[in-house]
Amino acid sequence: MPSQLELMDRWGIRGLLGHGWAALMLAAGLAAPPVMAASTQERMVPCLACHGETGQSRIENTPSLGAQQPAYTLIQLFMFREKLRKSEIMNQMAKDFTDDDLRTVSDYLAALPKPQAAENGAIDRMQRAQVLAQKEHCNSCHNADFSGRDNIPRLAGQREDYLAKTLREYKNNTRAGYDGTMSEVLQPVTDAEIADLAYYLAHLSSKSEH
């Protein structure tokens, strides 16, 4: 299986995270209109209408993005723009974004407050899910407090419905990723265990602000 860096190079994502993106744009023959001509705050209005002005979504199956790892958000926006990840709304929103626009949006969202975890998680269910998360090494890749790192997302305090939906999509290979790690990890995990993991993460508050 190709490494994450090899896949990023193949898709042109790695250059987006550092230098060299202009050359990639020219090589691909892609136009780059100045989408962010308005202020960043103005451009973010439609994004925050769904994802929450304070970084916490109030809409079903719509993720909270406050304090999300900017490298992860950038890659997801790139995938939406290139239609490597399919969502009619997000594909439309991102279609004219330049590389600088992607960075600006990602950095803006990373600076918002982290989402507040759901309260009063059932102790037995939290403990059961914690054991499963340790068994599957979720707390290794996503950090011990599930705040995420680099291109691996923050999960602590995320919406429970969105987490469950996303985990199920990774398992049945309907959610695009830039490698097969999540699909592979989730194959032995049952639907009931996915529900427990989503519950656990939604009720978990990370120590890290960003």
Side-chain angles (χ1 to χ4, degrees):
M1 180 182 296
S3 70
Q4 289 186 351
L5 290 180
E6 288 171 337
L7 285 159
M8 287 182 192
D9 282 335
R10 183 184 303 172
W11 288 1
I13 296 174
R14 192 178 180 188
L16 199 61
L17 297 172
H19 299 293
W21 178 244
L24 288 168
M25 291 285 286
L26 289 172
L30 297 176
V35 174
M36 286 289 179
S39 72
T40 300
Q41 187 70 38
E42 290 172 333
R43 294 294 306 178
M44 292 302 299
V45 169
C47 305
L48 300 181
C50 292
H51 294 283
E53 291 184 7
T54 62
Q56 185 141 14
S57 168
R58 305 294 181 187
I59 299 177
E60 182 180 5
N61 287 321
T62 301
S64 299
L65 298 179
Q68 187 56 273
Q69 295 295 327
Y72 171 77
T73 303
L74 185 148
I75 292 170
Q76 299 308 306
L77 289 171
F78 174 88
M79 293 176 70
F80 281 128
R81 187 183 71 181
E82 303 303 314
K83 296 187 177 179
L84 297 168
R85 185 176 167 192
K86 299 297 177 68
S87 165
E88 185 175 351
I89 293 175
M90 289 305 303
N91 294 150
Q92 179 67 23
M93 291 286 292
K95 70 175 184 177
D96 292 325
F97 276 16
T98 68
D99 55 313
D100 285 337
D101 296 336
L102 300 185
R103 292 191 193 96
T104 297
V105 172
S106 301
D107 290 343
Y108 183 97
L109 294 170
L112 292 176
K114 67 181 181 181
Q116 295 299 305
E119 298 179 352
N120 302 322
I123 295 176
D124 59 339
R125 196 174 185 189
M126 294 290 285
Q127 291 176 337
R128 185 168 66 235
Q130 183 179 30
V131 170
L132 178 62
Q134 292 172 343
K135 175 186 173 183
E136 300 299 338
H137 307 292
C138 307
N139 58 332
S140 176
C141 292
H142 292 274
N143 277 353
D145 65 352
F146 292 92
S147 59
R149 56 185 172 86
D150 302 323
N151 61 324
I152 300 174
R154 169 187 291 274
L155 300 179
Q158 184 58 268
R159 287 185 60 94
E160 182 179 348
D161 56 357
Y162 177 76
L163 286 165
K165 174 177 179 288
T166 300
L167 290 171
R168 291 181 179 117
E169 288 173 346
Y170 273 129
K171 179 170 180 172
N172 63 28
N173 288 308
T174 58
R175 164 70 182 263
Y178 43 85
D179 69 12
T181 300
M182 287 300 301
S183 177
E184 183 178 346
V185 167
L186 284 165
Q187 289 313 302
V189 179
T190 68
D191 194 68
E193 289 173 330
I194 284 176
D196 279 346
L197 281 173
Y199 180 89
Y200 169 70
L201 293 167
H203 287 79
L204 191 66
S205 179
S206 70
K207 297 177 182 178
S208 172
E209 290 296 323
H210 297 291

